[in-house]
Amino acid sequence: MESSRDFRLFTLGTLRLIGPGGELLTGRRKELALLAYLARRAPRAVSREELASALWGERDADKARQSLRHALLQLRRALSDAIEVSNDSARVKDDRLELDASALEADVVAGRLDEAIDRWNGDFL
């Protein structure tokens, strides 16, 4: 179950990001939720409009975009080049980040049920 990827995002039962130097973005739930959203869509890019609406839809559009810019900046600082951000979209390089929920699904599909059970630590997010 060991991963060769640089970063591991845990979303089952807990929400945390582990990098080469240890835990990252501690206590930054919104940024970690944004990362989980991007990781579930990896390697496809997600439009900034969709991200702002999904995570800050209750705010007016300008404030939602500002919050998204700030969150993406925090992710870039933590993940460096494992995340790509453009003026229109953002994406996570799935070869650099392991998402526990996706790994669990892959284990189930491959028939590795013991490994899938070991990954289960609780509900998603």
Side-chain angles (χ1 to χ4, degrees):
M1 198 159 56
E2 199 59 33
S3 174
S4 64
R5 296 181 179 161
D6 298 325
F7 301 95
R8 295 181 74 197
L9 181 60
F10 295 91
T11 59
L12 299 172
T14 185
L15 183 57
R16 54 184 247 227
L17 175 64
I18 305 296
E23 192 161 355
L24 301 167
L25 298 171
T26 305
R28 305 299 302 233
R29 282 194 65 78
K30 203 68 148 188
E31 288 84 352
L32 292 173
L34 172 59
L35 182 58
Y37 194 95
L38 289 169
R40 288 295 287 173
R41 301 282 294 277
R44 295 182 313 269
V46 182
S47 75
R48 284 180 175 249
E49 182 178 326
E50 179 180 339
L51 294 170
S53 176
L55 290 155
W56 293 278
E58 74 285 353
R59 295 185 179 179
D60 72 60
D62 287 339
K63 289 186 183 204
R65 284 191 298 272
Q66 180 181 6
S67 294
L68 176 61
R69 274 192 304 276
H70 179 73
L72 287 171
L73 176 63
Q74 296 302 316
L75 290 179
R76 285 276 310 162
R77 287 179 178 159
L79 297 169
S80 186
D81 64 348
I83 185 170
E84 292 179 349
V85 177
S86 73
N87 289 336
D88 300 321
S89 64
R91 80 177 191 96
V92 171
K93 296 178 184 177
D94 67 344
D95 63 332
R96 301 281 308 278
L97 175 81
E98 179 183 318
L99 177 63
D100 63 346
S102 295
L104 181 142
E105 290 171 346
D107 286 342
V108 170
V109 168
R112 298 184 301 262
L113 300 184
D114 289 338
E115 288 87 347
I117 290 169
D118 288 342
R119 289 183 192 279
W120 179 259
N121 292 311
D123 292 334
F124 181 72
L125 293 179

